[in-house]
Amino acid sequence: MQALVVNGAGENKFVLDIGSSRLLVQADSVTLSPGQTLQLEVTATTPQLELKIISSSLQQYLGHSLSFIGQNIDLTALLQLLQQPPNPAIETLSSSSIQILENFIALQQRPLNSTEGGNILRQMIDSLGLQMEAKLHTGLKGEGTTTLKSALLEIMHLFGESEKIGEASKTPLSTIESFQLSQLRLAQENTIILPLPFPFLDQGYLLIDQKQEQETEDQQKSKQLHFSLHLALTGLGNLQIEFLQTDDGLWMRFNCDSQEKADFVSQFSDDLKQQLTDVPLQGLSFSGTANAPGTDLIRLLVPAGQSLLNTKV
């Protein structure tokens, strides 16, 4: 896998260009240079993705590892820094970027319920900027510059030299870019990934498997929909919820990171069944073998014997 070093981001962090995406990475005990070309291979997928430099224009960098950085999208610290007196930095931002930040935080703070939750999630995902480059490439400049990613890029441009503001803006920006790269890779497997940027989640994303749906359409069989939630919550830990919906009803499987937690969650089975009134629940099971959401995602992105991104396409 080939990568180009775009620029440094301070504290042994660098921006790499891989294919059509840019990622923020951390280099251990190495200083890279802008314009440098690297050849990377995956050396570990747990507890986080690690890449080894196997070829470089600077031979002394061979063997050093790189670790991807990614967290849930939390703008709290960034907004506090931008609003600090006596000269609030937020007043330097464009009015559109201020509006984007305010709207996104307002969406995150809205209570979820059965009628509004899906619409709120859709608005948050649409506002992230996951399709920003694609829209700009096709000439939709207005849509590309009214996203959270564009606002974060403006903050980076204005305050990149400010250690606190720079760090607070780089974290959500790298998270958005990580999801962009993930979708590029998973699209090859006919899978959609959607981030779940809710403040009560430490990590969260939704995977929608379109392969089964396509097979059933081709064979004119009953339609199936398979999707899964991959979550990390303070207190409950890692949680994976699998859904399989057919014409006959819905099957659900709750997978916690310990059997003790699975037994606890299973106590609320009756409450869940009462909430599911539109679709008949055909099966419900509980287990205690869930991995961290990031671990599951890396295993999908980097199957055994494959590279993270096919840069030849």
Side-chain angles (χ1 to χ4, degrees):
M1 175 173 56
Q2 183 170 300
L4 175 68
V5 181
V6 179
N7 55 49
E11 297 183 354
N12 293 328
K13 297 172 185 175
F14 303 87
V15 177
L16 299 186
D17 191 324
I18 302 177
S20 60
S21 298
R22 291 190 175 185
L23 297 177
L24 179 66
V25 303
Q26 180 170 314
D28 298 327
S29 304
V30 63
T31 301
L32 304 178
S33 302
Q36 181 181 354
T37 300
L38 307 173
Q39 290 292 336
L40 308 174
E41 71 174 0
V42 178
T43 59
T45 60
T46 58
Q48 59 188 349
L49 178 66
E50 290 189 354
L51 301 174
K52 181 179 181 180
I53 301 175
I54 57 175
S55 177
S56 171
S57 56
L58 301 177
Q59 295 297 317
Q60 65 267 33
Y61 298 148
L62 293 178
H64 291 286
S65 63
L66 301 172
S67 300
F68 283 98
I69 302 171
Q71 299 179 16
N72 198 16
I73 299 173
D74 185 356
L75 303 179
T76 306
L78 175 60
L79 189 62
Q80 290 175 347
L81 290 170
L82 291 173
Q83 293 176 332
Q84 280 185 353
N87 298 309
I90 196 171
E91 295 179 357
T92 311
L93 293 179
S94 64
S95 58
S96 61
S97 289
I98 295 174
Q99 190 66 50
I100 290 167
L101 293 174
E102 292 177 346
N103 289 346
F104 188 81
I105 293 174
L107 285 171
Q108 286 188 315
Q109 294 175 344
R110 289 179 61 178
L112 301 178
N113 56 50
S114 58
T115 58
E116 290 292 330
N119 187 43
I120 292 173
L121 175 59
R122 180 174 182 176
Q123 291 181 59
M124 281 196 288
I125 293 175
D126 289 345
S127 66
L128 288 176
L130 299 175
Q131 304 297 324
M132 190 182 83
E133 288 80 3
K135 291 180 178 180
L136 291 174
H137 180 71
T138 55
L140 300 176
K141 296 183 179 180
E143 294 185 39
T145 57
T146 57
T147 64
L148 181 59
K149 183 175 182 180
S150 65
L152 293 171
L153 288 171
E154 181 184 355
I155 294 172
M156 286 290 297
H157 175 72
L158 294 174
F159 308 107
E161 297 181 0
S162 171
E163 181 177 352
K164 291 183 178 180
I165 296 180
E167 286 298 314
S169 57
K170 278 186 288 189
T171 298
L173 180 59
S174 70
T175 300
I176 293 173
E177 293 178 339
S178 295
F179 274 107
Q180 288 181 296
L181 175 62
S182 298
Q183 186 55 68
L184 285 174
R185 172 65 183 86
L186 293 175
Q188 302 172 21
E189 308 296 332
N190 209 9
T191 299
I192 296 174
I193 183 170
L194 298 174
L196 302 175
F198 297 118
F200 55 83
L201 294 176
D202 297 329
Q203 281 185 297
Y205 58 86
L206 168 67
L207 286 179
I208 303 175
D209 183 359
Q210 296 184 307
K211 294 188 291 295
Q212 289 182 326
E213 184 177 356
Q214 184 64 45
E215 290 173 0
T216 57
E217 289 176 356
D218 293 343
Q219 300 172 12
Q220 295 183 345
K221 295 181 179 179
S222 60
K223 184 177 181 179
Q224 293 185 357
L225 177 62
H226 178 216
F227 56 99
S228 57
L229 293 171
H230 299 254
L231 314 172
L233 303 94
T234 301
L236 189 57
N238 303 319
L239 178 63
Q240 180 181 342
I241 310 175
E242 297 277 349
F243 301 83
L244 177 61
Q245 183 175 345
T246 70
D247 294 338
D248 296 326
L250 178 67
W251 283 259
M252 296 181 65
R253 179 171 178 261
F254 286 79
N255 191 10
C256 303
D257 57 21
S258 73
Q259 189 58 47
E260 180 181 5
K261 294 177 182 178
D263 293 340
F264 170 76
V265 173
S266 67
Q267 298 176 20
F268 300 92
S269 298
D270 291 339
D271 295 335
L272 176 62
K273 293 175 181 178
Q274 292 177 4
Q275 294 294 323
L276 294 174
T277 57
D278 296 333
V279 181
L281 184 61
Q282 299 291 347
L284 180 63
S285 61
F286 300 87
S287 58
T289 60
N291 297 310
T295 300
D296 282 339
L297 181 56
I298 292 305
R299 288 176 177 174
L300 285 173
L301 295 177
V302 194
Q306 295 187 19
S307 63
L308 178 64
L309 183 64
N310 182 2
T311 57
K312 295 180 181 180
V313 177

